[in-house]
Amino acid sequence: MNNQRRMKMRKLLELGGVAAAVVLVAFGSGAIVMSALGMGTINSTLKQQKIVGTSDMTPSQAAAEASGVGLKPKTLPIPSCSVAGVRVTTGTEARCFAQYMEVHALIATGGLYYSQLPQYATSNGKGTNNAAQAAISNGVPVEYPGRSTWVEQIAISTALNASYLGSQLALFGVIVGLALLLAGLGFGILAIGGALRNPETALPFAGRRHSARPADVTPA
């Protein structure tokens, strides 16, 4: 009776292992397919935008431009990558392009970020936060031009960085999917291998029948 219960429990565990293997393989395959489709969508969308890096989108050229306007290259976030003449079609290239856009914006504003720029333009070009001292056009103070530069840069670079984030998440999804797939196959092999074993050999050692060996027989 105990053997029957043990065999029934063993059978349930084997079926559970097979079911877990099927679920893991299904989820892993689904994660790989969805991640691959997501990465393909990102790459095709970037390709449609026809973004090509300018000739100065190299570390050396960016540093030279910064020095030319009196900025120290060491104080600027100059990227280590290069997309000069490269058509942007991947998330990594999009991120590199966005980094050079930030450098260009800093060069245009004299090394100042949006939060550091004055609010209004002045006739001497320095700008001011006092509306009474600002240049007037059509009866209203003129906005400092560097602010619009930063607004445009941030809007575009945010979209490009989102492409990079999406591509990295898609890559992570592929890796997770592969891990689930391999785990599912492993479970399946173990479960099927256990089901194919001889039930008699699967019993605990104490439950097996033993025959007396000649060495165990004590002479009378």
Side-chain angles (χ1 to χ4, degrees):
M1 193 67 177
N2 289 336
N3 287 346
Q4 291 180 353
R5 291 180 179 178
R6 189 181 295 112
M7 291 299 298
K8 184 179 293 186
M9 179 62 66
R10 179 171 176 266
K11 191 67 175 179
L12 289 175
L13 292 175
E14 290 169 356
L15 292 175
V18 173
V22 172
V23 171
L24 288 173
V25 170
F27 272 93
S29 302
I32 293 173
V33 172
M34 293 177 64
S35 299
L37 290 175
M39 185 174 293
T41 300
I42 292 172
N43 293 344
S44 62
T45 302
L46 287 171
K47 188 176 181 180
Q48 291 174 359
Q49 300 304 313
K50 297 180 173 57
I51 303 172
V52 179
T54 57
S55 59
D56 61 346
M57 287 187 172
T58 64
S60 58
Q61 288 294 327
E65 288 186 4
S67 298
V69 295
L71 297 177
K72 296 180 180 180
K74 292 183 178 180
T75 63
L76 297 180
I78 296 178
S80 58
C81 58
S82 175
V83 288
V86 176
R87 185 172 181 180
V88 176
T89 58
T90 66
T92 301
E93 293 170 348
R95 180 173 181 267
C96 185
F97 190 94
Q99 289 175 327
Y100 278 107
M101 288 187 62
E102 182 180 5
V103 173
H104 290 171
L106 287 169
I107 292 174
T109 59
L112 298 178
Y113 287 91
Y114 182 86
S115 60
Q116 298 173 308
L117 295 174
Q119 186 173 0
Y120 304 109
T122 56
S123 56
N124 60 9
K126 294 182 179 181
T128 180
N129 290 321
N130 189 344
Q133 299 175 357
I136 304 298
S137 176
N138 297 325
V140 296
V142 178
E143 183 183 40
Y144 189 78
R147 295 172 71 88
S148 59
T149 299
W150 267 112
V151 169
E152 294 173 1
Q153 184 274 329
I154 291 173
I156 299 175
S157 64
T158 298
L160 294 173
N161 286 324
S163 299
Y164 172 74
L165 176 60
S167 66
Q168 293 299 106
L169 288 175
L171 179 60
F172 177 74
V174 171
I175 295 174
V176 171
L178 287 173
L180 291 174
L181 186 60
L182 292 175
L185 292 175
F187 268 114
I189 292 172
L190 291 175
I192 294 173
L196 295 177
R197 291 176 60 190
N198 188 338
E200 184 69 21
T201 62
L203 295 176
F205 182 81
R208 298 176 185 172
R209 296 179 180 179
H210 298 276
S211 59
R213 294 177 297 176
D216 296 333
V217 178
T218 303

